[in-house]
Amino acid sequence: DQQVKQNSPSLSVQEGRISILNCDYTNSMFDYFLWYKKYPAEGPTFLISISSIKDKNEDGRFTVFLNKSAKHLSLHIVPSQPGDSAVYFCAASVQGAQKLVFGQGTRLTINP
Amino acid sequence: GAGVSQSPSNKVTEKGKDVELRCDPISGHTALYWYRQRLGQGLEFLIYFQGNSAPDKSGLPSDRFSAERTGESVSTLTIQRTQQEDSAVYLCASSFPTGVYGYTFGSGTRLTVV
């Protein structure tokens, strides 16, 4: 049972444009959501997060949107830069639980 | 050290052999987590330590998998009688007790069972 799904295995975006990565979840108990970025041969690094009491969180070029009724979140990167090329994972947690449930990841490629 | 250190970075083993994977967390991080990522899939939770106790080991896939931790330091994940489906990248993360808000991952151990 895949509780967190990233349905796009890959995404290609031109440098300077907006990148939108999507994530859907099924467990209504999830109350905290995170995005991680992963370069090859490195561990994932934390990018941005959002609590279920909010619908938007912004940090520089990165904005995460949460639509609880649709059980959907998205990560917007504006403007996209070549260094943003990586695999992006969304993750979710239930309050009080220490573990994260991850999606399968989306490989983002930024083209010059 | 400055980050989470995992060793070895790569391990090739024959089916049926036992392997040990090591994780050195960030100093002062009392929480430690093991995840694995099989090819084309997301990260799967395996086990969580708070200090040297494991309040949640619900992700360990079978009794061939075990883990231990010495105090608030090194952890070892042991896989006995390895199978080909155990091939994956095994990732360790550590954090302060605040948990999911502040994970730092290591670079992982790529395990290949042949």
Side-chain angles (χ1 to χ4, degrees), chain A residues 45-64:
Chain A
T45 55
F46 170 74
L47 192 56
I48 192 169
S49 63
I50 188 166
S51 165
S52 60
I53 63 173
K54 294 187 171 183
D55 55 19
K56 176 182 173 181
N57 189 27
E58 192 171 349
D59 183 2
R61 297 186 297 115
F62 303 92
T63 303
V64 56

Side-chain angles (χ1 to χ4, degrees), chain B residues 13-72:
Chain B
T13 190
E14 291 181 354
K15 178 180 170 182
K17 301 269 185 165
D18 298 351
V19 294
E20 280 191 357
L21 312 180
R22 177 185 168 107
C23 173
D24 279 281
I26 291 172
S27 178
H29 279 189
T30 57
L32 185 145
Y33 314 81
W34 284 98
Y35 285 79
R36 76 173 175 184
Q37 184 185 14
R38 290 189 280 191
L39 191 64
Q41 299 187 24
L43 281 71
E44 301 171 67
F45 169 80
L46 298 178
I47 188 169
Y48 152 63
F49 286 93
Q50 185 63 251
N52 63 3
S53 68
D56 188 348
K57 51 179 83 170
S58 62
L60 294 178
S62 75
D63 59 7
R64 296 187 296 105
F65 287 71
S66 63
E68 60 181 30
R69 186 178 184 196
T70 308
E72 292 182 354

Side-chain angles (χ1 to χ4, degrees), chain A residues 38-104:
Chain A
K38 186 180 185 301
Y39 292 119
E42 295 183 13
T45 55
F46 170 74
L47 192 56
I48 192 169
S49 63
I50 188 166
S51 165
S52 60
I53 63 173
K54 294 187 171 183
D55 55 19
K56 176 182 173 181
N57 189 27
E58 192 171 349
D59 183 2
R61 297 186 297 115
F62 303 92
T63 303
V64 56
F65 295 92
L66 176 62
N67 182 334
K68 289 187 289 294
S69 61
K71 294 192 178 67
H72 176 84
L73 66 155
S74 61
L75 174 68
H76 292 211
I77 306 173
V78 179
S80 300
Q81 299 175 353
D84 297 329
S85 295
V87 177
Y88 290 78
F89 292 96
C90 69
S93 72
V94 174
Q95 185 178 19
Q98 290 291 333
K99 63 187 177 189
L100 293 174
V101 180
F102 284 83
Q104 307 96 306

